[in-house]
Amino acid sequence: MAYILMRRIRYQPKRALHDELRVADLHSDMLLWMRNPRRWNNRGHTDLPRLAHSNVRLQVFASVTKTPSGQNYQSNSADSDNITALAVVQRWPVDTWNSLFARARFHARRLQRIERAGDELVIGRTSADLRAALADPDGPMVALLATEGAHSLEGEIDNLQRLHDEGYRVLGLHHFFHNELGGSLHGLAGDGLSAFGEQVVLQAVDMGMVIDVAHSSHQVVRDVLGLIDEPVIVSHTGIHGHCQTQRNLPDALMREIAAAGGLIGIGFWADVTCDDSPAGVARAITAAVQLVGIDHVALGSDYDGAITASFDGAELAVLTHELLRQGFSRDEVALIMGENAIRFFLANLPEGEGE
């Protein structure tokens, strides 16, 4: 896996509006790294103090369980795995060394330990959890657990219930390679959903999980949209018409996702924005708003993934500043920076367990 890099910036934007916002982000890989998430760190992009400094009230934490060697956006096989070495070096439990499901369970239990250790964070399992935490302006951050690729099911449908029991509420179908559910956007072929993939998607939706197609092939996305009525997310991405890379889904497909009520999270790195400065990310957000409408656009940083970002989780006020500079109103900035994502999960998570 590539090293995480960050070019430090020294913006000092006015924080008046930002301090009033409820910020939400659809994708962070913080759980992959064994630094203390309850302490302000000088490495990586995120930890709880830095996110709190930026008024992040809802954060989706993804579980990265496998990445291929030579990780790229064009073509990867499923025959290699960088995470095994990382698991050994970082002293993850021995059962994670050879089990993708065990890795996802380990990441969930890391977050559960953080939840038990203090009052900074609660894991959101239902819309009632979100509503209760967000009712208090000084309340805890809501954390949602997501898979970055459903290969963590290891081809066993019963593992979906086990992941749900651990707290997972967002099911990312793919990462950088094909899996038992079908084709990846970066795999050897652009296959659609397999029969197993259809079974997983239908059961996940029945359980109240949100489907994430950020790394899925074009055909998988079309198949999912044709299979379910519930809206999906593209958690971390850019807009192809604005930044023409294979990582970004075609504009027409993005419009279909939005037309079905979906949510698009714009990433903070140059491979999806073609400019990772705060102004460049704001321009990518502008392109998304122009394409799908303001109600369907959110933040999808990909913090702590294998990316380079020019501002970290403590510096999100610079993005508020740039959105204002580029002509968005205060109400529009609030929607983009968090309210769209909060509304989406309030509407699409089950109201309470068993409902």
Side-chain angles (χ1 to χ4, degrees):
M1 171 171 282
Y3 288 105
I4 299 172
L5 302 174
M6 183 175 67
R7 296 198 303 273
R8 298 294 298 178
I9 58 176
R10 291 293 179 264
Y11 291 90
Q12 295 296 331
K14 295 178 181 178
R15 288 188 56 104
L17 172 60
H18 188 86
D19 287 344
E20 299 172 3
L21 300 178
R22 299 191 299 181
V23 178
D25 176 49
L26 299 183
H27 196 87
S28 166
D29 292 334
M30 183 192 76
L31 295 173
L32 187 61
W33 310 101
M34 293 305 291
R35 60 182 181 270
N36 184 349
R38 300 186 67 213
R39 191 172 67 194
W40 191 300
N41 293 275
N42 293 321
R43 293 181 293 133
H45 301 130
T46 53
D47 46 53
L48 299 189
R50 279 185 282 180
L51 293 176
H53 182 74
S54 284
N55 285 356
V56 175
R57 298 302 311 278
L58 188 153
Q59 177 66 62
V60 180
F61 290 107
S63 170
V64 181
T65 53
K66 180 176 176 177
T67 63
S69 61
Q71 179 175 311
N72 63 79
Y73 295 137
Q74 286 70 45
S75 179
N76 301 274
S77 77
D79 298 334
S80 60
D81 178 21
N82 294 324
I83 302 300
T84 298
L86 189 67
V88 174
V89 169
Q90 293 196 127
R91 299 182 180 179
W92 294 5
V94 174
D95 66 348
T96 67
W97 296 4
N98 296 300
S99 168
L100 305 184
F101 173 80
R103 294 172 189 178
R105 183 177 57 198
F106 169 63
H107 291 151
R109 292 183 180 180
R110 280 198 73 198
L111 201 62
Q112 292 163 18
R113 286 194 296 273
I114 296 167
E115 181 182 38
R116 292 193 297 268
D119 58 4
E120 307 104 318
L121 173 150
V122 295
I123 298 174
R125 296 171 174 85
T126 68
S127 59
D129 294 338
L130 272 65
R131 197 172 295 110
L134 296 172
D136 180 359
D138 298 317
M141 178 191 309
V142 177
L144 296 177
L145 274 164
T147 65
E148 184 137 35
H151 43 272
S152 53
L153 297 176
E154 297 183 330
E156 298 291 338
I157 191 66
D158 289 347
N159 282 335
L160 183 62
Q161 182 63 56
R162 295 187 181 103
L163 289 180
H164 186 274
D165 292 345
E166 293 291 346
Y168 283 89
R169 292 299 182 269
V170 178
L171 188 73
L173 302 183
H174 294 93
H175 203 195
F176 275 90
F177 50 89
H178 63 276
N179 62 29
E180 298 91 346
L181 282 76
S184 165
L185 185 58
H186 327 289
L188 299 179
D191 296 341
L193 273 180
S194 66
F196 179 69
E198 292 181 358
Q199 181 186 14
V200 169
V201 168
L202 289 171
Q203 184 162 319
V205 168
D206 188 59
M207 295 164 65
M209 299 178 79
V210 171
I211 302 299
D212 180 9
V213 296
H215 285 282
S216 295
S217 72
H218 301 173
Q219 190 57 51
V220 163
V221 177
R222 295 187 189 101
D223 290 346
V224 170
L225 292 176
L227 184 66
I228 62 175
D229 295 325
E230 290 76 6
V232 304
I233 65 172
V234 188
S235 61
H236 54 306
T237 188
I239 300 301
H240 191 271
H242 173 75
C243 183
Q244 296 183 10
T245 70
Q246 184 168 329
R247 176 62 177 79
N248 294 334
L249 292 170
D251 287 5
L253 204 48
M254 289 290 221
R255 288 193 191 98
E256 289 185 45
I257 291 167
L263 192 62
I264 311 299
I266 298 300
F268 294 177
W269 74 107
D271 289 340
V272 296
T273 63
C274 289
D275 178 354
D276 68 353
S277 69
V281 175
R283 283 191 290 271
I285 289 171
T286 298
V289 170
Q290 291 171 346
L291 181 69
V292 302
I294 196 160
D295 292 333
H296 302 282
V297 180
L299 308 183
S301 66
D302 200 20
Y303 275 155
D304 288 315
I307 68 160
T308 298
S310 66
F311 54 99
D312 74 1
E315 299 173 305
L316 293 177
V318 301
L319 191 51
T320 296
H321 177 72
E322 286 297 335
L323 290 171
L324 290 169
R325 277 170 43 95
Q326 294 188 28
F328 288 100
S329 70
R330 295 169 69 93
D331 288 345
E332 290 170 335
V333 170
L335 291 175
I336 294 164
M337 293 296 293
E339 294 303 325
N340 283 339
I342 290 170
R343 183 182 65 242
F344 181 92
F345 285 110
L346 284 172
N348 290 288
L349 290 178
E351 177 61 30
E353 295 294 354
E355 298 184 16

